[in-house]
Amino acid sequence: MLSSENSAVPRLSPLLLALLGLLLFLLPYGILRAHSYITLDDNLDAELNIPYLLVRQGVSFRYDQGATVPALMNGLPRNALRPGLSATVGLFALGPPWAAYLVQQALVRLLGLLAMYALLRRELLPEPGQRRLAAALALAWGLLPLYSMYGLSVLGQPALLLAFLALRRGTGRWWHWAIIAAFPLWSMFVFVGPFVLAALGALWLRDWWSARRPNGPFLAGLLLLLAGYLVVEWPLFYSLLVAKQFVPHRLEFDMAQITPPGLKAGLRSAAQFFLFGQYHASRFLRVAVLLAVAAAVALAPAGQRAARGRQLAPWLLALAGLALFSGFYPQLVALGQRRVALLGAFNVGRFHFLAPLLWFWVLALALRYLPGRWQAAVLVLQVVIGLSMNPEWLNNLRELAGRPNPHEPNYTAYVAPALFGRVQAAIRQQTGLEPPQYRVACLGLPPAVAQLNNFYTLDSYQNNYPLPYKHRFRPIIAGELAKSPELRRYFDAWGNRCYLFSAELGKDFRVAGFQHRVVQDFAFDAAAFRQLGGRYVLSAARLATPGRSGLVARGEFSSRTAYWHLYLYEVQPTVSN
C-alpha cells in the first residue's frame, strides 16, 4: 500500500483499498450472521440486552420519574439506562439484537476509518504522496479491538478533533459544527464525555493564555458539545441532578476493598495502561508505535536526532503520565473515600479513553520521518497486533473453520432462543403463566441471556441501579456470601453484578453444559427470594439438594446446539412470604 505510484493496482485509490481491507475484516460477520461470535464479557452479558429491552418494552423515550423497565430488577428506573436518543437504541429498533450489533460494528468501524483518514490528511499527512500512509493508518485504526457497543466513543474521536482544530484556526464550516452536534448521539457520555470536554477545554485555556484572548468559535464548539450531551443524556442528568429519582448503588463502592494496594501494584497497573491500554477503550500492544518512534530518532541524520527526540518525547511523556494517573487512580480514590464517600461513584480515571487516539497521533508523527519500507513494516506490525488481539475476530475465524472455541460460544449458542423457549413452554404448561407474570433469577449464567429471551429477572448486571434494591437482594445470597470473602467483597464493595452467587462456582458466571457442574450446598434464602417476587431459579449447574434450598426441581433442558444445560427450580409453595 505504501509503494510507488507504479502499483499493481494504480486505478484503486489508497482510501478505497483501505475500505476493501475493512470489508475483508467484516466479511466473517456477514457470513456467520446470527452464528457470529460476539464478545461476551461486559458486552453480550451486559450491553445488548439494554437497548433491546428499552425498545421491546416501549420505554426508550419515557423519561418521566415513574418510568421503569419491568423486565429488570422488579422495575429498574428507566432513567438509569441508555438514552433513547442514542443511535444504538435506534438500530435495535430495526432488527434482532445480533443484527443490530453487527450493523453497529460495521458502521462504527467504517466511520472511524473515514474520520481518521480525514484527520490525517488535513492535519498530519497532507501531501499527495502521503495518501497511502494516511489510508494505511486509517485502516489500522478501524481494525482496533474495541467494544463497538460504545458507538463512536473511541473511533469517532478523530472526527471530533478534526472539527475542533478547524474551529481553532477559524476555518470551521457547517459540517464541523454538525460533527460536534452529532457526536453525543453515538458516544457514551460516562466513558468519554467529561474527558473529551476536559481535554478540549484545557487546549482552549492554553490558547487563551498564549494569545491573550479567548477563541470564540472554539468555545462555542465546547458549549455545543456540552449542550448535545445534556440533551441526549437527559435521563441520566434528570434522575441524578434534577428529580434525584433514586440513590445509586455506586455510593457504596469501596475502592479500598477491591483495589490492590501499594506502589508495586500501582506501577504494574500503570505499565499495563501504557503498554496495552484498557480493554473497554481498545486494548492493543503499543510496540509498533514505540518502534516507530525509536526508528524515527535512530534513523535521523546525526544533527537532527536531538530535535526529533524533543518533538516526539513530550507525547510519550504525556502518555506515560496518563498511564500513571490511570494506574494509581483507584488507590487515590481508596484514600480519598475516607473523607469524601462520593469519590467512588464516578470514575474520573477514564481519561484513558483518549489514549488510543493519542497513540495513533504519535504513530503518524513518527512515520512521517521513516522511509517507505520502514513505514510498511511498522504498519503491517500494527495491523497484525490489532487483529491478533481481537478475540471476537479470531473466534469468528474459528467458527468459519469449523473449529469453534468450546468456551466462547457464538451468539445463537449463547442466547439459545430455542432452549429458553422450551423453558417458557414448560412453565406455561405447568402454571399457565406468561413471562411477565413471574420473576426468575439465574445461577451460573448471566441474567442478560434470560432477558434477551424475554424473561423478567430479579438479578442483572447494571452500572447504575437503586441502592435500596441491592439491600433487598442481599439476603437472598447472604448465605453464599458468608462462605466466600471474595464474593462478599465483590458484591458489597462493588455490586454491579447483582447476581445469585455460589461459593462453589465462585466467579464462574458462565457454566457450560458440557462441564456438568453440581452445586452440593446452595445457601439460598427462598423466603427472601419469594418476598422480592421471585418464583423460579434458572440454573446452569445442577443443585444436589434443592429441597435444602427451599426449591423444587421442575425440569431439565438441553440442546445439542445450545451452550447451556438448564435446570429449572421453583420456590416451594410452603416457603413463607
Side-chain angles (χ1 to χ4, degrees), residues 402-467:
R403 302 188 57 146
N405 185 339
H407 298 284
E408 300 292 334
N410 65 48
Y411 178 89
T412 298
Y414 186 79
V415 176
L419 182 66
F420 282 85
R422 287 170 51 198
V423 177
Q424 288 183 5
I427 294 175
R428 188 181 304 114
Q429 183 178 18
Q430 295 170 13
T431 65
L433 298 177
E434 297 294 337
Q437 297 174 287
Y438 56 86
R439 299 293 182 270
V440 307
C442 302
L443 177 66
L445 71 153
V449 178
Q451 293 157 9
L452 286 167
N453 284 289
N454 304 316
F455 282 92
Y456 285 52
T457 72
L458 296 179
D459 49 349
S460 197
Y461 184 0
Q462 298 296 331
N463 292 317
N464 190 21
Y465 65 91
L467 180 61

Side-chain angles (χ1 to χ4, degrees), residues 20-101:
L20 289 175
L22 179 62
L23 179 62
L24 288 175
F25 171 85
L26 295 171
L27 189 59
Y29 299 92
I31 296 173
L32 293 167
R33 294 165 59 83
H35 295 279
S36 297
Y37 173 82
I38 292 175
T39 301
L40 304 180
D41 296 330
D42 289 357
N43 194 48
L44 192 45
D45 67 354
E47 293 292 346
L48 277 72
N49 56 319
I50 300 305
Y52 170 74
L53 290 174
L54 289 176
V55 171
R56 179 177 177 81
Q57 304 206 316
V59 294
S60 296
F61 295 100
R62 279 201 58 193
Y63 297 163
D64 56 281
Q65 194 165 352
T68 64
V69 182
L72 298 174
M73 305 174 107
N74 259 350
L76 181 66
R78 183 265 168 272
N79 290 340
L81 303 172
R82 282 176 178 260
L85 286 174
S86 163
T88 301
V89 175
L91 287 175
F92 274 75
L94 301 178
W98 66 266
Y101 178 85

Side-chain angles (χ1 to χ4, degrees), residues 499-514:
Y499 281 12
L500 294 186
F501 290 121
S502 163
E504 295 173 47
L505 298 179
K507 290 185 181 179
D508 186 357
F509 307 125
R510 199 198 311 163
V511 178
F514 60 79

Side-chain angles (χ1 to χ4, degrees), residues 93-108:
L94 301 178
W98 66 266
Y101 178 85
L102 297 188
V103 170
Q104 167 133 324
Q105 168 102 257
L107 290 177
V108 163

Side-chain angles (χ1 to χ4, degrees), residues 250-524:
R250 301 177 68 88
L251 290 181
E252 279 195 350
F253 280 7
D254 188 348
M255 302 304 293
Q257 291 194 52
I258 58 178
T259 301
L263 178 63
K264 185 177 179 180
L267 289 175
R268 184 185 302 114
S269 179
Q272 289 280 335
F273 275 106
F274 184 76
L275 292 174
F276 294 96
Q278 199 265 357
Y279 64 101
H280 285 144
S282 185
R283 182 175 176 82
F284 65 94
L285 183 63
R286 271 54 168 174
V287 67
V289 187
L290 296 174
L291 176 62
V293 171
V297 175
L299 298 178
Q304 299 179 18
R305 288 175 186 168
R308 194 168 292 180
R310 285 194 297 271
Q311 182 186 12
L312 296 173
W315 292 99
L316 292 181
L317 289 174
L319 285 164
L322 179 59
L324 283 170
F325 172 75
S326 299
F328 281 94
Y329 174 77
Q331 293 188 28
L332 296 175
V333 172
L335 292 173
Q337 271 188 313
R338 298 173 183 174
R339 295 185 174 88
V340 184
L342 288 173
L343 282 178
F346 183 75
N347 188 354
V348 182
R350 286 176 176 151
F351 276 100
H352 57 71
F353 267 82
L354 308 181
L357 178 57
L358 291 176
W359 278 102
F360 263 70
W361 185 274
V362 176
L363 179 58
L365 286 175
L367 287 175
R368 292 191 306 180
Y369 298 118
L370 297 181
R373 290 182 179 178
W374 270 93
Q375 290 177 349
V378 169
L379 285 167
V380 167
L381 177 60
Q382 177 57 48
V383 169
V384 169
I385 288 172
L387 294 177
S388 64
M389 297 190 70
N390 188 333
E392 189 169 276
W393 187 73
L394 293 175
N395 278 304
N396 275 319
L397 290 186
R398 294 189 61 160
E399 289 283 343
L400 285 175
R403 302 188 57 146
N405 185 339
H407 298 284
E408 300 292 334
N410 65 48
Y411 178 89
T412 298
Y414 186 79
V415 176
L419 182 66
F420 282 85
R422 287 170 51 198
V423 177
Q424 288 183 5
I427 294 175
R428 188 181 304 114
Q429 183 178 18
Q430 295 170 13
T431 65
L433 298 177
E434 297 294 337
Q437 297 174 287
Y438 56 86
R439 299 293 182 270
V440 307
C442 302
L443 177 66
L445 71 153
V449 178
Q451 293 157 9
L452 286 167
N453 284 289
N454 304 316
F455 282 92
Y456 285 52
T457 72
L458 296 179
D459 49 349
S460 197
Y461 184 0
Q462 298 296 331
N463 292 317
N464 190 21
Y465 65 91
L467 180 61
Y469 188 86
K470 179 182 179 182
H471 293 166
R472 290 197 299 271
F473 190 89
R474 193 186 191 282
I476 299 171
I477 56 175
E480 290 296 327
L481 297 184
K483 298 178 187 177
S484 170
E486 181 186 20
L487 289 178
R488 186 169 63 250
R489 285 192 302 271
Y490 190 68
F491 183 78
D492 290 342
W494 188 59
N496 283 10
R497 280 192 170 96
C498 189
Y499 281 12
L500 294 186
F501 290 121
S502 163
E504 295 173 47
L505 298 179
K507 290 185 181 179
D508 186 357
F509 307 125
R510 199 198 311 163
V511 178
F514 60 79
Q515 292 178 296
H516 305 293
R517 298 291 297 275
V518 179
V519 175
Q520 299 296 331
D521 178 31
F522 185 39
F524 174 77

